Amino acid sequence: DSGVTQTPKHLITATGQRVTLRCSPRSGDLSVYWYQQSLDQGLQFLIQYYNGEERAKGNILERFSAQQFPDLHSELNLSSLELGDSALYFCASSQRGTEGTEAFFGQGTRLTVV
Amino acid sequence: AQSVAQPEDQVNVAEGNPLTVKCTYSVSGNPYLFWYVQYPNRGLQFLLKYITGDNLVKGSYGFEAEFNKSQTSFHLKKPSALVSDSALYFCAVRGPTDSWGKLQFGAGTQVVVTP
């Protein structure tokens, strides 16, 4: 168990809908990262937050947004969902987010858009 | 731009034999290198990292990796593979001044260990 908790584990929704994925980082970790894993794209970095502030942005669509709350949990919001958004979404956390710190991953949320 | 390559989609090895998973990288400056493993329907688990120092890095579950600067490689090794080592392995790299968000993951190598 990595200590990173993601909910829900599975999500099935229809095209055009909006969903929210939730992540609780390991105790003491200030940085949270979101990744998307799909068969054709591999593991893609979406966005990073550090202590409530956006720190880095990757291949995140405009239909997607995220935030990190004062208690350090994070939510990833996906809207106007398309079939191609079906993927495994991972949250990871680390103490800081720079230098050589490794990140610890949650078990992921499997999103299926039908 | 930094990149990482895992040249083998799949590695097959018999239980008890040595296991090697290859990784080569390209990055400006000295690299930070990581290995992660993913079991079915699970998240990525950290195995080991190279930041600086000894070229041979020891990690979890008996794995180790050798950093070779001249060959820009960071191959993962295990002297004696177990069936339970069957999983998807990811190599990742970023530059020393990059934030975690710049970490580049390889495409992954599926390891299959047969009894």
Side-chain angles (χ1 to χ4, degrees), chain B residues 64-92:
Chain B
E64 59 189 28
E66 187 168 9
F67 171 64
N68 188 317
K69 189 172 184 177
S70 62
Q71 297 187 4
T72 61
S73 67
F74 189 56
H75 301 331
L76 182 70
K77 300 181 181 183
K78 187 171 184 180
S80 178
L82 301 172
V83 172
S84 57
D85 293 328
S86 298
L88 187 58
Y89 290 79
F90 290 95
C91 180

Side-chain angles (χ1 to χ4, degrees), chain B residues 9-112:
Chain B
D9 291 336
Q10 182 165 314
V11 169
N12 298 301
V13 63
E15 188 174 32
N17 282 359
L19 169 63
T20 298
V21 186
K22 295 179 181 177
C23 171
T24 59
Y25 67 89
S26 173
V27 70
S28 297
N30 295 319
Y32 288 171
L33 294 153
F34 302 81
W35 274 103
Y36 281 84
V37 60
Q38 184 179 23
Y39 297 98
N41 300 314
R42 302 294 296 273
L44 278 70
Q45 294 180 28
F46 171 73
L47 280 179
L48 50 80
K49 66 181 179 183
Y50 172 83
I51 304 302
T52 186
D54 199 352
N55 288 344
L56 186 63
V57 179
K58 294 192 181 297
S60 306
Y61 313 119
F63 284 94
E64 59 189 28
E66 187 168 9
F67 171 64
N68 188 317
K69 189 172 184 177
S70 62
Q71 297 187 4
T72 61
S73 67
F74 189 56
H75 301 331
L76 182 70
K77 300 181 181 183
K78 187 171 184 180
S80 178
L82 301 172
V83 172
S84 57
D85 293 328
S86 298
L88 187 58
Y89 290 79
F90 290 95
C91 180
V93 66
R94 64 178 171 85
T97 58
D98 291 333
S99 67
W100 182 271
K102 295 292 186 183
L103 187 71
Q104 186 74 34
F105 280 89
T109 298
Q110 185 70 47
V111 169
V112 178

Side-chain angles (χ1 to χ4, degrees), chain A residues 8-20:
Chain A
K9 286 188 170 51
H10 302 276
L11 202 47
I12 301 175
T13 190
T15 54
Q17 294 298 304
R18 172 190 169 97
V19 297
T20 297

